[in-house]
Amino acid sequence: MKAAFIEEHGNLKQLKIGQLPTPKLKSNEVLIETKFSALNHIDIFIIKGWPGLSLPLPHVIGSDGSGIIKEIGTEVTQLNVGDKVTVNPGLSCGKCIFCLSGKQNFCKEFSILGEHQWGTFAEYFKVPEINAIKIPDNYQLDDAAAVPLTFLTAWRMLTTQAELKEEEFIFIHGAGGGVSSATIQIAKYLGANVITSTSTKEKMKKALELGADYVVNYVEDPEYNKYIYTEITKKQGVDVIIDSVGKATFHSSLRLLKPGGRLVIPGATTGPISEIDLRQIFWKQVKIIGSTMSNQKEFQEVMNLIFLGKLKPIIDRIFPLENIIEAEQYLSEHEQFGKVILKI
Ligand SMILES: [Zn+2]
């Protein structure tokens, strides 16, 4: 099969297009003929590699993908050859106490498709049957590839982890990313007052179109926290903050929280190490909550809303598989608003 893969870790130039053997199925797995894949920041982390990561090479990246089932394992019962599907990229063992109690993303073997198992930037990829979900006939395969990782991440953050309520103020850092644009939509769907930040006038306009109530420009107004506190929340502070920026904003996020507020951390793109003024935590009785991916139930919940048209993926651009390096470059320069897609 044709695939985009790495033969050694390094920069984007390590990505090659070539022929690799089609994955062989285990009894509980399905083989999918890929139609569309979506890029995620994790692609670049995997290409770079990290201490302790030892992947058998060559390795195919790609965590989101949609397509048509080509082959099914002997124990597959719910899906058939020819079904149009998209997948939950969170893979787990299926046997441990966490998996059996529906907490798949707590599994010791939890990993993301394309991380330890070959991913979706190829003509074929495989997943356990439980990870694949049928797409309604009227739903587009490109949209279906754009949805899973970002929407399931955003759904878990706002529902299970932050317990966001109607009328609450939420501040989402950086509107342009795939997870952020999903988070804005879900927060609005849940009835919150949505504040977000971005860097250009054009992205500000798009964030408003997505449903944000207030957009601040962190380039033009470095004092945006003051504005949010004073003008938007009338000196009350924010109930929920989603901060994946990390080191650069962690402290100011803590300060901006209302007493009893929740700070959700799904990542740390500017660096993972930060000092904390512990007084900000106990005096204001705030909660700092981590969040990663989702469990199977949360995936089903958010996909139902997607298929009903209540939430819509935003596709920024579609590249052919052959232009994978250009596409990853585009994503890493944060030029996009929404998802960057590959047509396989
Ligand atoms: Zn498990």
Side-chain angles (χ1 to χ4, degrees):
M1 64 173 183
K2 190 196 257 185
F5 57 88
I6 52 167
E7 287 175 309
E8 56 183 316
H9 292 288
N11 58 26
L12 284 177
K13 292 201 181 94
Q14 308 301 339
L15 273 172
K16 309 260 177 341
I17 305 277
Q19 292 291 324
L20 289 177
T22 302
K24 295 234 176 336
L25 289 188
K26 288 186 196 150
S27 57
N28 66 333
E29 293 176 331
V30 297
L31 183 71
I32 297 161
E33 182 183 359
T34 323
K35 296 296 181 191
F36 293 93
S37 305
L39 273 61
N40 290 288
H41 288 291
I42 189 176
D43 305 341
I44 294 162
F45 298 141
I46 295 166
I47 294 167
K48 281 186 184 155
W50 55 83
L53 178 73
S54 71
L55 288 177
L57 297 167
H59 180 77
V60 179
I61 58 168
S63 300
D64 276 316
S66 65
I68 313 285
I69 294 189
K70 249 330 197 218
E71 200 184 318
I72 58 173
T74 52
E75 286 172 28
V76 169
T77 56
Q78 305 297 314
L79 295 170
N80 284 302
V81 171
D83 285 347
K84 259 170 65 172
V85 292
T86 189
V87 302
N88 176 354
L91 305 171
S92 63
C93 80
K95 296 170 202 149
C96 72
I97 187 80
F98 290 122
C99 287
L100 293 175
S101 58
K103 295 180 174 172
Q104 289 87 358
N105 55 341
F106 283 73
C107 175
K108 265 193 180 166
E109 290 176 29
F110 188 78
S111 72
I112 299 172
L113 183 62
E115 188 183 25
H116 294 284
Q117 176 179 314
W118 281 11
T120 59
F121 297 173
E123 281 178 300
Y124 296 95
F125 69 99
K126 64 170 193 168
V127 290
E129 176 185 23
I130 188 178
N131 285 72
I133 186 169
K134 263 198 228 181
I135 303 169
D137 283 339
N138 59 355
Y139 203 82
Q140 301 286 327
L141 279 161
D142 51 354
D143 282 344
V147 170
L149 193 146
T150 53
F151 274 86
L152 63 79
T153 300
W155 182 253
R156 175 177 176 80
M157 285 196 302
L158 296 190
T159 59
T160 313
Q161 301 300 76
E163 299 183 89
L164 181 68
K165 293 172 196 71
E166 257 180 83
E167 304 295 325
E168 284 192 318
F169 279 94
I170 179 170
F171 175 42
I172 301 154
H173 279 276
V179 174
S180 309
S181 54
T183 309
I184 292 170
Q185 277 193 65
I186 295 172
K188 203 61 218 163
Y189 173 78
L190 296 171
N193 294 301
V194 181
I195 311 161
T196 188
S197 64
T198 189
S199 56
T200 67
K201 284 214 165 61
E202 197 187 331
K203 286 186 179 181
M204 288 175 82
K205 192 168 156 254
K206 286 183 178 172
L208 290 168
E209 283 165 11
L210 266 186
D213 299 292
Y214 309 91
V215 188
V216 294
N217 185 322
Y218 60 80
V219 177
E220 282 176 10
D221 179 15
E223 302 267 289
Y224 64 88
N225 269 8
K226 211 165 161 187
Y227 178 78
I228 294 172
Y229 181 74
T230 317
E231 301 297 325
I232 301 178
T233 71
K234 309 294 176 205
K235 298 189 178 175
Q236 297 301 304
V238 175
D239 298 277
V240 173
I241 298 180
I242 308 294
D243 188 346
S244 61
V245 182
K247 191 179 174 182
T249 54
F250 180 72
H251 238 110
S252 57
S253 289
L254 260 186
R255 274 204 302 275
L256 186 57
L257 280 180
K258 188 186 257 187
R262 292 89 81 200
L263 173 59
V264 183
I265 303 186
T269 49
T270 58
I273 309 296
S274 184
E275 274 187 1
I276 304 182
D277 180 345
L278 295 168
R279 292 168 299 184
Q280 293 284 342
I281 298 176
F282 65 77
W283 191 242
K284 289 206 297 188
Q285 303 185 61
V286 299
K287 291 180 183 162
I288 300 176
I289 310 168
S291 198
T292 286
M293 301 292 285
S294 81
N295 60 37
Q296 209 61 36
K297 179 171 160 277
E298 291 157 341
F299 174 64
Q300 301 278 351
E301 285 168 353
V302 77
M303 291 313 293
N304 286 340
L305 293 173
I306 288 281
F307 293 149
L308 287 170
K310 307 267 186 205
L311 304 168
K312 290 190 179 71
I314 306 300
I315 294 180
D316 179 290
R317 269 179 81 174
I318 301 183
F319 290 84
L321 176 65
E322 290 71 18
N323 295 7
I324 173 93
I325 294 179
E326 192 193 334
E328 292 283 3
Q329 192 76 44
Y330 181 68
L331 180 74
S332 65
E333 286 164 1
H334 300 283
E335 294 297 327
Q336 88 290 359
F337 194 99
K339 294 299 286 181
V340 180
I341 301 292
L342 288 180
K343 188 173 195 300
I344 308 295

